Amino acid sequence: MAPRHRASIMFIGILVCVPLLALYQFGFFPEVAAWLGKALPRLIVLPAGGIKPCLWLQYGCYTVYAFLCAWVGLEMQALWRKIAFLLGLSYLTVSLTVSLAWAGILFEPFSGILAAWVACLGALMVKDAQPEGGASLPASMEPSPPLQKEG
């Protein structure tokens, strides 16, 4: 991994995580989790004690997804593989919601899926903005050789 990719991954991850944290603090994702808590008992059989939210799991999930998908977006070459990765991650996240609900934990998958897709999209934009192959400049932008004194 090139050093410039490490910095790009860090910036993309941070730029995705901060707005998601703000959405959590302003109540958007807790409202979605409350809706999901009401909908899950109609879809699956839950434990007798009900389900309880686990915020540290939510924060950890979308943080890991943001940095992982930024890395995938920058390092993986084929676009179809990136999309397949995101679709698989989205499916596994929804499956994790059901599995954790059976264990009595309310896990809201939408913030993690949003973090994954936005981070990968941001990484695609960064990768498209970088020149192919690295550091070669167009001929019109090459520095001119130093002037020599006549003497």
Side-chain angles (χ1 to χ4, degrees):
M1 174 173 18
R4 67 170 189 241
H5 284 177
R6 288 185 191 136
S8 298
I9 291 168
M10 291 299 294
F11 282 121
I12 293 167
I14 291 168
L15 288 175
V16 169
C17 288
V18 169
L20 283 176
L21 181 61
L23 287 173
Y24 263 103
Q25 295 304 317
F26 292 129
F28 177 73
F29 286 117
E31 288 178 12
V32 172
W35 170 81
L36 189 62
K38 292 176 188 170
L40 277 174
R42 289 181 269 164
L43 302 173
I44 60 174
V45 177
L46 296 176
I51 53 178
K52 297 177 183 89
C54 183
L55 280 180
W56 67 266
L57 185 62
Q58 295 292 154
Y59 295 154
C61 176
Y62 79 71
T63 301
V64 168
Y65 282 7
F67 288 97
L68 175 69
C69 291
W71 177 76
V72 165
L74 286 172
E75 294 295 327
M76 203 176 275
Q77 296 302 319
L79 181 61
W80 71 268
R81 287 183 180 173
K82 294 173 190 177
I83 293 173
F85 176 82
L86 288 171
L87 290 173
L89 187 69
S90 300
Y91 172 76
L92 290 174
T93 304
V94 172
S95 299
L96 180 66
T97 300
V98 174
S99 299
L100 288 175
W102 286 329
I105 299 171
L106 176 61
F107 178 77
E108 172 271 311
F110 307 111
S111 61
I113 293 171
L114 180 66
W117 284 85
V118 169
C120 197
L121 179 64
L124 286 174
M125 290 189 292
V126 167
K127 190 169 184 173
D128 283 345
Q130 294 175 347
E132 291 293 324
S136 64
L137 294 173
S140 62
M141 295 179 69
E142 289 290 332
S144 59
L147 297 174
Q148 295 187 6
K149 289 186 179 180
E150 293 182 30

